[in-house]
Structures are given as C-alpha cells and as structure tokens.
C-alpha cells in the first residue's frame, strides 16, 4: 500500500525516519513521501526526511515542553501552511496517510489529533495513526497527556495502531538504545505490512492486497501489530509447526501491546520462501488466531521473501479488550487526579467516558 508518512513530534519524526530507511533498504518503495513536523528545531535537525517547523511565532523553535494544549493551538493556527506543504506530497497513488507520534509529550500528543481531523476532512483515503504509549515509569503528565490524546485520536483517525513502550523495554538498555530498538522493530513491522499490501505480481500462493489491510482496520478504534520469525525447515511438510510457532509467538510475545488482547478482525501474513510455506500450517494458524483473539474475521495471505526464516505478521483491528489499554487509562485517570502535577480539570476528564478534545 503506497503511503504518505507524517511524523509529529520528536518520537514521531524518528519513527517516520526509521520507516523510510527500512523501506529504502529493502527496496519496497511503499513510502511515497515522508515529512516530519515539530515545534522544536533541534528535534528536526537529525532527521533525513523533509521537515516542517511550526509555531515559530509562539515558541521560536524551542518546542512546547509538555504542553499539548499549546501544541494543539499551534497546529490549528498553522494548519493552512501545513496543509499546503503536506498536500503537495499526497498524490492520487497514495492508498493511506499514516501519522506517527509519541503520545506522552507535547507536540505529538496535542498536534496529531488536530492534523488527523483536518486530513480526514480533506482526503478520501484512510488516515491512520501509529501512536506510542508512554511507559509506566514516565511522569504523571506523560500519562495524562497520552490518555487525553489517545481518546481524541481514536475518535478522529480511521484507526489507531498502538505501540506500547513498556512492552518493548529490555533490561540493561539505556533509554536512547531502547527507543532506537523499538523504532527499528516497528519500522520493520509496519514496513512489511505496507509492502505485503502491495504484492500484486502473483508470486505468492495467496496474495494480500491493500484492501485486506484496509478492511482489517475498517472497524476503526484501536489496532495492534505483532511479528515473529522462526528458522524454516527444508520441506513444507516440516514447516506446519514452524508456521504455527511463528504465529503464536507473533501474538503472544511479539504484539505491540502486551497482555490479553481480543479484536474484531485480524490479518495474518506469512513471510518466507514460497516453497517452504506450509498451507496446512497457514490454515491451522488462522483458526488458532481466530480462537485466540475471538475475531469474527481472519484474513490471510503470503509475502514471499528470500529469507531462511518463516515470519508471521499479525494485524489486529478493532480491539475489543486489552489488559494493557485498560490499565493505561486507569493509570492516566489516577495521574490526572493527582493534585501536584495536574490541574483539577484533568481529573474530571476520566470520570465518564468523554474526554475533553484537544
Ligand atoms: P514531543 O516531541 O513533544 O511530541 O515529545 P516526544 O516525542 O519527545 O516524546 C513523547 C513520548 O514519546 C515520550 O513520552 C516517550 O514515551 C516517547 N518517545 C520519545 N522518543 C521516543 C523514541 O525515539 N521512540 C519511542 N518508541 N518512543 C519515544
């Protein structure tokens, strides 16, 4: 699926940059165009994709700190200029627009909902958001900002694919190393999904096209992605279990959010050398995925690669229940109620299901 990427805020810019690098390295050419938007000049400088600095009249290139309301105001005030810069990159070839962002800060947290809303008003193609949840040890402000933003983004975007920073932390890693690894892991997952959705040359036994990705995400709400790969045996017969193992571990230990997760729809893409992929294994895996996620529909297909590994890419759309997301909103509610860091108004936001928009 040809996609235009827009990174908002520092994490958003870095993730977009990483995705472009992956797409280029593999020669998939799924990313049609990419741009990073920020209020902080220094966060844009290290990126290799095009950049747009916003809010110069308000914050003079120094960023908004953790003030996501200010970021929302800036995005709103500069929207015409952004629209012009971004719009020229969205050609008729594009099948989707993906905004990437970290929800716990200021610029991405506040700016993304405003931009997503505008893009949805203008374009027919789906607008998806790749949203990074702050880890549990980040500040109260990060939890509250992310809680508000996630509620608003989920109501606004066609689907919101959630990445949990907590799930991907490894012991002994510095924060920077950890972020870099997470960004690379997700660049690979999203890059593979977009490339798989573009396979039309019929090499694969069962092709995934972009409509399968779009249909899996069609119910809206939140989505998650998982991936894992396992060394393949020589023959297809021996690979029944290999395909099953890759699928199981993609869902149970490779998903972008941890804990039990059920969803309305799922997509299973098996990657690897076509003559090693076991059809029986694929069928078994699809049935297992259907049971495990309680999905009403599990789509599937192959993505041929020349790797010795068999990989399973799982996309869940319309998440119904997630231990981690429910825990996250609980924590955000508690953080909002904590008097020291947040204002009284924030506490009210989580008392019913309605959150103030940004
Ligand atoms: P902003 O520039 O104001 O939008 O804020 P940042 O993007 O710097 O940070 C927002 C949130 O994103 C933080 O609370 C972290 O949870 C997360 N974060 C920051 N940098 C990275 C990164 O490089 N990778 C990942 N996965 N998360 C990040």
């Amino acid at each position: 699926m040809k996609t235009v990427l827009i990174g908002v805020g520092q994490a958003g810019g870095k993730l977009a940059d990483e995705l472009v690098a992956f797409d280029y390295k593999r020669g998939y050419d799924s990313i049609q165009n990419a741009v990073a938007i920020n209020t902080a000049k220094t966060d844009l400088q290290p990126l290799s994709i095009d950049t747009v600095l916003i809010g110069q009249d308000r914050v003079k290139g120094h960023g908004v700190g953790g003030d996501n309301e200010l970021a929302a105001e800036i995005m709103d005030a500069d929207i015409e200029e952004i629209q012009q810069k971004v719009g020229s990159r969205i050609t008729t070839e594009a099948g989707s627009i993906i905004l990437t962002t970290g929800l716990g800060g200021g610029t991405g947290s506040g700016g993304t909902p405003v931009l997503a809303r505008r893009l949805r008003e203008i374009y027919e193609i789906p607008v998806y958001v790749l949203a990074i949840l702050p880890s549990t040890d980040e500040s109260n402000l990060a939890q509250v900002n992310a809680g508000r933003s996630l509620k608003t983004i989920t109501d606004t975007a066609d689907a919101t694919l959630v990445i949990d920073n907590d799930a991907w932390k490894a012991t002994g890693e510095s924060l920077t190393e950890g972020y870099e690894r997470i960004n690379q892991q997700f660049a690979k997952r999203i890059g593979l999904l977009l490339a798989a959705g573009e396979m039309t040359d019929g090499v694969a036994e069962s092709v995934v096209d972009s409509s399968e990705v779009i249909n899996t995400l069609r119910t809206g709400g939140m989505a998650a992605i998982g991936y894992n790969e396992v060394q393949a045996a020589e023959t297809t017969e021996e690979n029944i279990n290999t395909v099953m193992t890759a699928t199981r571990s993609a869902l149970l230990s490779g998903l972008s959010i941890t804990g039990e997760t059920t969803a309305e729809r799922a997509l299973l893409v098996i990657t690897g050398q076509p003559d090693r992929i076991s059809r029986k294994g694929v069928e078994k895996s699809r049935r297992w995925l259907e049971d495990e996620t309680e999905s009403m529909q599990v789509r599937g297909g192959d993505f041929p690669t020349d790797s010795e590994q068999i990989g399973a890419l799982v996309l869940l759309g319309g998440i119904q229940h997630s231990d981690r997301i429910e825990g996250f909103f609980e924590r955000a509610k508690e953080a909002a109620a904590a008097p020291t860091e947040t204002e009284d108004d924030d506490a009210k936001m989580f008392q019913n299901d309605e959150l103030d928009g940004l």
Side-chain angles (χ1 to χ4, degrees), residues 233-265:
E234 286 295 327
T235 67
T236 45
E237 195 51 37
E238 290 170 285
N239 282 327
I240 300 177
N241 285 339
T242 318
V243 174
M244 268 301 283
T245 306
T247 307
R248 275 205 199 100
S249 49
L251 183 75
L252 300 178
S253 60
L255 201 64
S256 58
I257 43 176
T258 46
E260 203 186 298
T261 308
T262 62
E264 239 169 273
R265 298 181 182 193

Side-chain angles (χ1 to χ4, degrees), residues 86-205:
V86 169
S88 62
R89 292 155 206 271
I90 305 172
T91 70
T92 49
E93 262 202 1
S96 71
I97 300 168
I98 299 183
L99 308 188
T100 55
T101 192
L103 298 180
T107 303
S109 175
T112 306
V114 176
L115 182 58
R117 192 174 300 126
R118 170 49 87 93
L119 294 171
R120 278 208 69 198
E121 281 164 7
I122 296 175
Y123 297 99
E124 287 292 318
I125 52 176
V127 175
Y128 300 127
V129 177
L130 261 184
I132 303 168
L133 284 190
S135 63
T136 36
D137 54 17
E138 285 188 58
S139 69
N140 275 1
L141 183 64
Q143 312 300 332
V144 176
N145 280 359
R148 291 186 69 186
S149 184
L150 184 59
K151 276 273 184 186
T152 317
I153 288 172
T154 325
D155 288 344
T156 310
D158 284 284
T160 307
L161 203 150
V162 182
I163 298 172
D164 177 5
N165 262 349
D166 250 0
W168 294 84
K169 272 195 313 206
T171 41
E173 238 176 16
S174 73
L175 199 62
T176 317
E177 286 165 348
Y179 281 162
E180 213 173 285
R181 196 174 50 84
I182 295 169
N183 296 349
Q184 282 167 2
Q185 303 256 21
F186 281 95
K188 179 174 180 179
R189 283 154 177 74
I190 302 298
L192 282 174
L193 179 71
L194 297 176
E198 239 186 296
M199 271 287 312
T200 46
D201 62 7
V203 182
E205 180 110 352

Side-chain angles (χ1 to χ4, degrees), residues 38-343:
N38 211 322
T39 56
K41 199 172 175 183
T42 46
D43 291 345
L44 291 174
Q45 278 160 350
L47 304 176
S48 37
I49 56 177
D50 289 346
T51 60
V52 180
L53 182 65
I54 58 170
Q56 287 188 76
D57 52 334
R58 305 280 296 269
V59 296
K60 317 228 170 326
H62 296 305
V64 296
D67 190 345
N68 64 354
E69 290 191 357
L70 175 58
E73 277 172 32
I74 288 175
M75 187 64 85
D76 201 40
D78 288 6
I79 200 82
E80 297 306 333
E81 187 199 333
I82 296 163
Q83 162 68 49
Q84 270 181 12
K85 290 200 171 136
V86 169
S88 62
R89 292 155 206 271
I90 305 172
T91 70
T92 49
E93 262 202 1
S96 71
I97 300 168
I98 299 183
L99 308 188
T100 55
T101 192
L103 298 180
T107 303
S109 175
T112 306
V114 176
L115 182 58
R117 192 174 300 126
R118 170 49 87 93
L119 294 171
R120 278 208 69 198
E121 281 164 7
I122 296 175
Y123 297 99
E124 287 292 318
I125 52 176
V127 175
Y128 300 127
V129 177
L130 261 184
I132 303 168
L133 284 190
S135 63
T136 36
D137 54 17
E138 285 188 58
S139 69
N140 275 1
L141 183 64
Q143 312 300 332
V144 176
N145 280 359
R148 291 186 69 186
S149 184
L150 184 59
K151 276 273 184 186
T152 317
I153 288 172
T154 325
D155 288 344
T156 310
D158 284 284
T160 307
L161 203 150
V162 182
I163 298 172
D164 177 5
N165 262 349
D166 250 0
W168 294 84
K169 272 195 313 206
T171 41
E173 238 176 16
S174 73
L175 199 62
T176 317
E177 286 165 348
Y179 281 162
E180 213 173 285
R181 196 174 50 84
I182 295 169
N183 296 349
Q184 282 167 2
Q185 303 256 21
F186 281 95
K188 179 174 180 179
R189 283 154 177 74
I190 302 298
L192 282 174
L193 179 71
L194 297 176
E198 239 186 296
M199 271 287 312
T200 46
D201 62 7
V203 182
E205 180 110 352
S206 144
V207 173
V208 192
D209 69 26
S210 58
S211 68
E212 318 258 18
V213 177
I214 290 173
N215 280 326
T216 305
L217 299 173
R218 193 177 294 284
T219 48
M222 290 184 225
I225 192 166
Y227 181 74
N228 228 318
E229 49 194 25
V230 177
Q231 179 62 39
E234 286 295 327
T235 67
T236 45
E237 195 51 37
E238 290 170 285
N239 282 327
I240 300 177
N241 285 339
T242 318
V243 174
M244 268 301 283
T245 306
T247 307
R248 275 205 199 100
S249 49
L251 183 75
L252 300 178
S253 60
L255 201 64
S256 58
I257 43 176
T258 46
E260 203 186 298
T261 308
T262 62
E264 239 169 273
R265 298 181 182 193
L267 172 71
L268 175 64
V269 181
I270 302 297
T271 70
Q273 295 174 12
D275 57 356
R276 293 193 187 192
I277 297 175
S278 154
R279 305 310 330 153
K280 246 192 220 164
V282 173
E283 267 324 298
K284 248 177 110 175
S285 300
R286 277 174 70 163
R287 281 198 302 274
W288 177 84
L289 194 60
E290 197 173 313
D291 285 348
E292 198 68 20
T293 61
E294 298 173 19
S295 294
M296 306 297 281
Q297 288 175 15
V298 178
R299 294 178 161 75
D302 300 344
F303 182 47
T305 64
D306 51 15
S307 163
E308 296 272 305
Q309 319 256 321
I310 284 182
L313 186 71
V314 172
L315 177 69
L316 302 183
I319 288 180
Q320 297 285 300
H321 161 83
S322 154
D323 288 347
R324 168 63 172 134
I325 303 274
E326 279 143 35
F328 161 72
F329 275 121
E330 206 45 53
R331 204 161 298 113
K333 188 160 63 170
E334 280 166 25
T340 44
E341 270 196 67
T342 56
E343 292 169 13

